[in-house]
Amino acid sequence: MLTRELVEHFGGPVSIVVGTRDAHLRPAFTRVFGIVGAVGSPSITLFAPEVMSGRMLADLRDNGQVAVQVTSWATFTSYQLKGTVTGIVPAGADAESVIAHVRDQVVAITSGIVSERFAVGWSKYVTTPAVAVTFEARDAFLQTPGPRAGARISG
Amino acid sequence: MSEEEELRQKLARKTQELQIVQTIATEINAALELDQIFDVVLASMDNALGFRHAMILVPDKTGGWLRVAASRGYAEKGIGATVEFGKGQIGVVARRRRVMRMVGMGTQMAIVAAARRESQQAGHAIANETRLPGLPNVRSQVVIPLVAKDRLIGVYVVESPEHNAFDVLDEAFVGIVGSQVATAIDNASAYAELQRQVAERSKELADALSKLSSQPRPLSPAREVDGRYRVIRKLGAGGMGTVYEVERITDQHRFALKTLRGRTEPDSMARFAREAHVAAEQLHPNLVPVVDIGIADGALFLVMPLVDGGSLEQQRSRFGDATWARPLLGHVAIGLAALHERGIVHRDLKPANILLDRGVPRIADFGLAALRGVVAADTAASGELDAAVAATMQPGPAGLTRAGDIFGTPAYMAPELASGARDIGPASDMFAFGLLAYEMVVGCTAFAEPPVLSRLGGREIAVPVVAKIEPVIARCLELDPASRPTSAELVGALRARPA
Amino acid sequence: MIRDEMLPALQGVVPSHIATCSADGTPNVTAISQVYYVDRTHVALSNQFFSKTRRNLDENPYAFVQLIHPETAHMWFLELRFLRSEAEGPLFDAMDMQLEAIASLQGMHGVFKLQSADLYEVLSVREAREASLP
């Protein structure tokens, strides 16, 4: 399911945001700081800071529905993936290196294209301890603004 | 404080500010040169409304760029810095001619960020350069297009380091001033060019004067004048000339065209030409400007904007309404001060000579303008004209300047004009203003008989009842010219009175 | 509800995000160019590309928006309820101009064509203090 392009995208300086909803269909938003997947597999794992994830986890335990947008600060290419959660566990040690790698890239790039102060603010986000949320992606869309926005990504 | 009470207080404050803005608009109209207008706008808005940080940009000749013409409250003035038309918030406001108001960071940061992203995507080095003056910590901003006669004159930008510093009412007030600024800039630009053209043509006129011979024919409808204007209809006759409504052949724009009234004496021609030269130099919103002068079919003519609001003479039914009259008199005073500042005495100020241009009074008909002790040294031609005019102004034995000629209208003449005093000056205009103001405010004439006729007939001049008028207007009616205020004092006193 | 310190976050310097949910329970999340301040209890979002978001709102009017302050990276979360869409008028014009101002510098004319200005009521505002170290 995941293309090489998508997997490489996950490893860049990305902003990762998650949409969920509760039992009453009220939507919620959470920012997470790591995402990993394997080429050809539909399984994707997010690393979400515990301190930020209360609402998200409650929603996922209620209905399992998740939407994730991953946008590169470097190219502004953006994808949205939708699926159903298959597992929620405390994140392992490998999560920290993934989170740190993404964060360091984002800090470096935003200090140039936004401001140094913003980059410092980004580096202060509490990212650990983290929760690993795994979901099976059933759809992936290109979401970069432009004529191809909304196109389904096949893999 | 309840929300309603807060709103009430806010409205009261804004009403006061509106009065301030109207005062600012008057000050802008009094400014003559382009640079003066910019400085007056920026300083006035700062003093009255606390708009500390602002700039005015004007389009360049190509229309593809806007250039900073003036700024205030910035570390670097940035004069001459440019913005591309249609780009960024200033360029977009210029293109769309609509106000843009930013309540948060101000679009500058967003624009800078967007520019950085653009640079990065294009692979260029990321620039952190702001070419315009601007607050590094801008939080609020209003960008106003300045439009006059459907043309973009410029863009006015106001900034603040505070969040939400400008609300919709501020936006409206700045818009009001913006339209005044646009008109003033447009006028100043256009008449600066006119002044240059008229100066060039003075010499031509002097040469042409010597060739004038027969009486000019009256102009009939559809008749062409100088190959540039076509007569539409006769508007009236008075003073020294006949006035026609004409259409400029190139663009069908309508104007008023005035020719001499059947006189061919060189001194009349010279006086008329002097009027043209003087009037063309007066670039002021309270004076009727001259947009063209020329000679055709043996007649000298002036072309002026068609002021279709009529004159104050046609508003006599409103005389006595002080609320209506006072603002108009303020404008007339400012126009008169502009004339006196240049050493020009009108000599025939009266309701018929004050035209209403969209409700704003403009003084017209300088047919009796005489330079008071100042000789224009621009060209030799001007010197010849001045000599001709001066020669006609010597008092004759009847105490008036020429037998059969009364220079002025008796109802509005100062008493000293009866004695043919040689040093007739601005004070006689002040008397005329006093008579006019009295009539407009009180609703009846100040004197039972025109003072100049009383003086001629040796009759005592009764003191007018002055209870209902401002002291400064009462002083204008002093029989002794030295006791009357100057026009500058008049303007200052009228401005200082409570609203 | 909307406080002054949040206003810089509305300018589109760093994109905001909106989460919505369809009637069948599928969430959707996407970025927004700017959240336009109308007054303390109302904002407007620019409807440009996210037709899925619009379809969701037509089925289910609740939305969740995240703002990031472009200087500090502080986050705020807004719960919103969609009121109506305006394809003309002062709000539309104001938002259209702001979008054009930013798009003009990115060489993206036309891509950022505003379809409508979508007006929302702000139901709650929360600053995500826990998200950052002091």
Side-chain angles (χ1 to χ4, degrees):
Chain A
M1 167 72 190
L2 286 182
T3 63
R4 181 167 304 281
E5 185 189 2
L6 265 174
V7 171
E8 284 175 2
H9 183 73
F10 291 169
V14 288
S15 159
I16 313 160
V17 296
V18 176
T20 57
R21 58 91 173 169
D22 65 11
H24 304 287
L25 302 186
R26 296 278 190 120
F29 170 100
T30 308
R31 180 172 289 282
V32 304
F33 293 91
I35 182 167
V36 293
V39 177
S41 165
S43 185
I44 299 171
T45 299
L46 305 169
F47 299 124
E50 255 183 35
V51 69
M52 289 281 292
S53 302
R55 168 70 194 269
M56 180 184 74
L57 295 178
D59 288 351
L60 294 176
R61 289 187 178 113
D62 175 77
N63 56 72
Q65 297 304 301
V66 68
V68 182
Q69 186 191 46
V70 190
T71 307
S72 167
W73 278 102
T75 63
F76 303 104
T77 304
S78 183
Y79 298 97
Q80 177 161 202
L81 304 114
K82 296 194 179 183
T84 308
V85 162
T86 55
I88 300 173
V89 296
D94 57 328
E96 286 196 32
S97 64
V98 169
I99 291 168
H101 179 65
V102 169
R103 182 185 59 223
D104 292 347
Q105 292 179 87
V106 172
V107 166
I109 214 167
T110 55
S111 71
I113 64 171
V114 183
S115 70
E116 298 236 0
R117 212 172 146 207
F118 178 83
V120 168
W122 191 280
S123 69
K124 286 188 176 177
Y125 286 142
V126 176
T127 54
T128 56
V131 175
V133 175
T134 303
F135 69 98
E136 186 157 316
R138 61 172 180 274
D139 286 310
F141 305 93
L142 179 67
Q143 210 164 27
T144 312
R148 288 187 62 219
R152 188 174 253 115
I153 305 292
S154 57
Chain B
M1 193 187 302
S2 71
E3 205 174 302
E4 194 182 309
E5 181 57 34
E6 195 180 322
L7 182 62
R8 205 172 292 138
Q9 281 197 13
K10 201 170 174 182
L11 280 172
R13 193 183 75 237
K14 291 302 180 184
T15 303
Q16 192 185 13
E17 286 176 355
L18 179 58
Q19 290 169 342
I20 293 169
V21 169
Q22 287 172 340
T23 304
I24 291 169
T26 304
E27 287 173 359
I28 290 168
N29 279 326
L32 299 179
E33 303 295 331
L34 215 51
D35 291 343
Q36 280 183 328
I37 293 167
F38 297 148
D39 290 338
V40 164
V41 168
L42 296 178
S44 299
M45 296 297 273
D46 187 357
N47 295 335
L49 298 172
F51 288 176
R52 235 117 268 135
H53 314 279
M55 69 185 102
I56 294 176
L57 299 95
V58 296
D60 73 351
K61 287 191 173 39
T62 68
W65 297 85
L66 295 135
R67 174 184 58 82
V68 175
S71 73
R72 182 181 176 96
Y74 296 108
E76 311 245 345
K77 287 197 80 70
I79 304 298
T82 55
V83 170
E84 193 173 339
F85 188 84
K87 266 200 165 181
Q89 84 276 28
I90 295 174
V92 167
V93 165
R95 189 181 77 74
R96 293 178 63 154
R97 301 190 185 181
R98 295 186 72 110
V99 175
M100 186 185 286
R101 181 167 59 95
M102 311 297 293
V103 302
M105 177 80 86
T107 315
Q108 258 196 328
M109 269 306 293
I111 297 300
V112 169
R116 279 167 158 166
R117 283 198 287 273
E118 182 191 24
S119 291
Q120 199 214 17
Q121 283 183 297
H124 300 151
I126 294 169
N128 190 19
E129 187 185 336
T130 305
R131 300 166 76 183
L132 296 179
L135 289 177
N137 56 338
V138 61
R139 290 284 183 260
S140 304
Q141 189 182 65
V142 183
V143 185
I144 311 275
L146 304 175
V147 178
K149 297 175 199 156
D150 212 33
R151 279 197 311 121
L152 180 75
I153 307 296
V155 176
Y156 177 33
V157 182
V158 186
E159 298 185 321
S160 170
E162 293 173 19
H163 287 299
N164 230 345
F166 311 111
D167 56 24
V168 287
L169 288 175
D170 286 310
E171 184 182 312
F173 290 139
V174 179
I176 292 168
V177 177
S179 65
Q180 298 282 344
V181 171
T183 303
I185 292 172
D186 192 41
N187 287 341
S189 305
Y191 296 129
E193 174 60 18
L194 168 67
Q195 198 175 22
R196 187 191 64 77
Q197 289 179 12
V198 167
E200 281 176 7
R201 296 187 68 181
S202 292
K203 178 76 172 57
E204 287 176 28
L205 277 176
D207 293 342
L209 275 178
S210 60
K211 300 187 178 75
L212 293 177
S213 53
S214 56
Q215 267 203 37
R217 292 190 294 268
L219 299 175
S220 49
R223 175 87 183 277
E224 282 191 13
V225 179
D226 202 24
R228 290 183 289 124
Y229 301 94
R230 184 176 298 116
V231 175
I232 305 295
R233 60 189 173 112
K234 179 174 163 184
L235 290 174
M240 286 167 57
T242 306
V243 185
Y244 300 88
E245 180 180 345
V246 300
E247 172 183 85
R248 188 162 53 194
I249 290 170
T250 51
D251 60 3
Q252 289 82 52
H253 201 91
R254 297 283 174 107
F255 293 94
L257 183 146
K258 178 173 159 182
T259 67
L260 274 195
R261 185 167 53 92
R263 285 183 177 270
T264 58
E265 293 89 341
D267 54 357
S268 300
M269 293 285 187
R271 191 162 57 232
F272 194 81
R274 183 72 215 167
E275 168 192 347
H277 191 76
V278 158
E281 288 178 340
Q282 306 321 311
L283 318 175
H284 196 278
N286 295 124
L287 303 175
V288 176
V290 167
V291 299
D292 197 1
I293 53 176
I295 293 174
D297 295 332
L300 201 61
F301 66 86
L302 298 177
V303 180
M304 293 159 283
L306 195 61
V307 178
D308 57 5
S311 69
L312 281 181
E313 182 62 41
Q314 287 148 340
Q315 300 291 321
R316 280 203 174 268
S317 61
R318 301 194 71 169
F319 282 22
D321 180 352
T323 308
W324 165 81
R326 287 201 165 96
L328 298 179
L329 289 169
H331 280 288
V332 175
I334 291 170
L336 201 56
L339 283 178
H340 291 176
E341 210 173 308
R342 278 150 183 77
I344 298 160
V345 179
H346 190 289
R347 293 178 63 123
D348 195 22
L349 191 69
K350 59 185 177 184
N353 280 344
I354 299 169
L355 308 184
L356 294 170
D357 183 3
R358 283 164 291 183
V360 176
R362 290 180 176 262
I363 303 175
D365 199 352
F366 305 155
L368 304 179
L371 228 48
R372 180 171 169 264
V374 175
V375 176
D378 294 349
T379 63
S382 295
E384 288 166 13
L385 294 178
D386 283 336
V389 168
T392 68
M393 291 303 177
Q394 299 304 312
L400 299 171
T401 48
R402 274 177 75 90
D405 280 344
I406 296 178
F407 280 14
T409 305
Y412 296 93
M413 283 171 70
E416 63 270 16
L417 291 177
S419 60
R422 278 179 182 250
D423 58 346
I424 291 166
S428 56
D429 278 349
M430 302 312 297
F431 193 87
F433 180 91
L435 292 171
L436 168 73
Y438 193 101
E439 277 190 67
M440 288 176 67
V441 171
V442 179
C444 62
T445 56
F447 299 90
E449 179 186 39
V452 70
L453 296 181
S454 302
R455 184 68 60 83
L456 273 173
R459 293 181 288 279
E460 193 179 328
I461 300 171
V463 174
V465 173
V466 297
K468 291 185 192 173
I469 58 174
E470 287 89 333
V472 68
I473 295 177
R475 280 181 56 211
C476 289
L477 296 172
E478 291 285 344
L479 301 182
D480 175 11
S483 300
R484 298 171 200 153
T486 63
S487 52
E489 287 169 1
L490 173 67
V491 170
L494 291 179
R495 274 192 186 149
R497 67 189 165 185
Chain C
M1 284 225 192
I2 297 180
R3 298 185 293 279
D4 281 351
E5 63 261 29
M6 295 166 63
L7 293 177
L10 306 184
Q11 288 302 309
V13 181
V14 177
S16 306
H17 288 87
I18 182 170
T20 55
C21 181
S22 63
D24 70 2
T26 306
N28 192 76
V29 65
T30 191
I32 329 164
S33 325
Q34 58 171 324
V35 178
Y36 188 85
Y37 173 82
V38 176
D39 58 38
R40 297 285 177 196
T41 55
H42 295 85
V43 295
L45 305 188
S46 46
N47 177 8
Q48 296 152 252
F49 331 96
F50 38 83
S51 57
K52 180 57 182 159
T53 298
R54 255 324 282 283
R55 287 202 295 277
N56 283 355
L57 287 166
D58 289 338
E59 297 170 11
N60 174 10
Y62 293 98
F64 197 105
V65 164
Q66 176 240 213
L67 308 175
I68 300 190
H69 195 292
E71 284 181 344
T72 62
H74 282 155
M75 286 191 278
W76 284 271
F77 297 132
L78 278 62
E79 287 186 292
L80 308 179
R81 180 170 57 216
F82 174 63
L83 294 177
R84 64 177 180 274
S85 230
E86 295 183 6
E88 59 182 5
L91 177 62
F92 178 90
D93 289 341
M95 292 184 71
D96 196 42
M97 281 183 71
Q98 289 194 20
L99 280 175
E100 183 181 343
I102 297 177
S104 64
L105 280 178
Q106 293 177 297
M108 295 190 79
H109 292 282
V111 178
F112 283 99
K113 176 94 181 73
L114 185 65
Q115 305 298 331
S116 63
D118 295 345
L119 187 64
Y120 294 77
E121 182 187 355
V122 178
L123 301 175
S124 73
V125 173
R126 185 176 79 81
E127 184 178 357
R129 288 179 203 274
E130 72 283 5
S132 302
L133 296 168

